[in-house]
Amino acid sequence: MKKLFLFSLLSFITVTTANAVTPWWLQPTICKLNPTDCYRGMGAGYDPEMWDATSSCWGVKYICGDAQSPKSNTPKLIGRAEIARGTGISTDYDTDLLGVDGDCFGRRKTAENGSIASVNGKYVNVWCNGILPNPDETLEYGEITYGTQPTCASLAADGYVGIENGRCYGKYYDSAQYYIECGTNLLPSRLIVLNGADYTATTKYPTEKDAEKIFDTMYSVSREQKAKYFTE
């Protein structure tokens, strides 16, 4: 029994002496943080020295205030796993793209070459600059409103038609040359070319008596011309 105890004690001393040459923070019994980076090529919009506890890696994204849900005035560090779940992030924003200022992630989602944008989960037209009386946000190719969208009538009042015009919507038609006739849809039911005519003027259609009078005049002129130039 004493021999067995002595052997165990010698073994403990041997192992302890061997580990003594290795710094304690490098010994296998010490827990170490994963050295892996969460993202490749971390630059603008990242904090590369921040430990992401949600994904056990280094580097956390700054999410822009507008892209947060609810919105905030300042960017916020949000872990990769939280981003994947959409925690605290608006569905209208793409967190793979830097925001317009380039120092945080979250840019409003667009489609159809940038001519429509996501607002409250639905895509709306991006209107060419100057069409909306009170735009809520300016994007790369135009402006959007978060509330009630323009109608054919509201656009026509300023001479615009809600058709695509490059990478935004809204084409101008001079009211002196065109009349925009609206129906129930965004696009006009008819676009009338005026050619100098006044579309508001009352049109007077000829009656049967008017037609007979014109015919009698034509007949009289014809008889006079025949008598003048032709003899029997």
Side-chain angles (χ1 to χ4, degrees):
M1 184 68 177
K2 290 182 179 179
K3 290 183 178 180
L4 179 60
F5 174 76
L6 181 61
F7 176 77
S8 300
L9 182 61
L10 289 173
S11 298
F12 174 77
I13 294 172
T14 301
V15 172
T16 303
T17 302
N19 287 338
V21 298
T22 304
W24 66 266
W25 59 87
L26 295 178
Q27 292 184 16
T29 55
I30 301 300
C31 296
K32 295 185 285 291
L33 295 177
N34 183 358
T36 304
D37 290 339
C38 296
Y39 304 96
R40 289 183 295 179
M42 285 182 283
Y46 295 96
D47 187 336
E49 297 181 358
M50 178 66 69
W51 173 253
D52 184 354
T54 69
S55 301
S56 299
C57 53
W58 288 101
V60 184
K61 276 185 175 182
Y62 279 102
I63 303 301
C64 300
D66 286 345
Q68 297 174 35
S69 180
K71 287 189 175 184
S72 170
N73 293 325
T74 57
K76 179 181 178 181
L77 286 169
I78 299 182
R80 188 170 62 173
E82 292 174 308
I83 292 174
R85 290 194 297 268
T87 305
I89 298 173
S90 170
T91 57
D92 291 328
Y93 288 81
D94 187 342
T95 54
D96 289 329
L97 299 176
L98 285 169
V100 292
D101 294 332
D103 55 1
C104 55
F105 283 89
R107 182 172 295 189
R108 189 174 292 277
K109 295 176 181 177
T110 60
E112 295 184 9
N113 209 21
S115 62
I116 59 174
S118 179
V119 175
N120 299 325
K122 297 180 180 180
Y123 279 92
V124 301
N125 290 343
V126 174
W127 298 96
C128 299
N129 294 328
I131 293 179
L132 296 176
N134 296 296
D136 292 309
E137 185 176 337
T138 300
L139 302 181
E140 185 176 4
Y141 302 114
E143 301 169 335
I144 58 173
T145 178
Y146 304 152
T148 303
Q149 299 299 309
T151 63
C152 176
S154 66
L155 292 169
D158 295 321
Y160 288 100
V161 171
I163 59 176
E164 194 167 0
N165 184 16
R167 294 189 178 185
C168 57
Y169 280 82
K171 187 173 182 180
Y172 179 74
Y173 287 88
D174 188 347
S175 59
Q177 302 179 41
Y178 300 91
Y179 173 61
I180 303 168
E181 186 176 281
C182 291
T184 58
N185 299 316
L186 176 62
L187 294 180
S189 55
R190 285 192 300 180
L191 183 64
I192 303 171
V193 181
L194 300 178
N195 288 329
D198 183 2
Y199 71 91
T200 62
T202 302
T203 302
K204 182 180 180 180
Y205 295 97
T207 64
E208 185 176 349
K209 289 184 177 180
D210 293 331
E212 290 177 354
K213 184 177 181 180
I214 293 172
F215 179 78
D216 290 342
T217 301
M218 292 173 61
Y219 180 71
S220 298
V221 171
S222 177
R223 289 187 62 183
E224 291 175 359
Q225 293 297 316
K226 181 179 179 182
K228 183 177 180 181
Y229 295 103
F230 296 94
T231 58
E232 294 181 359

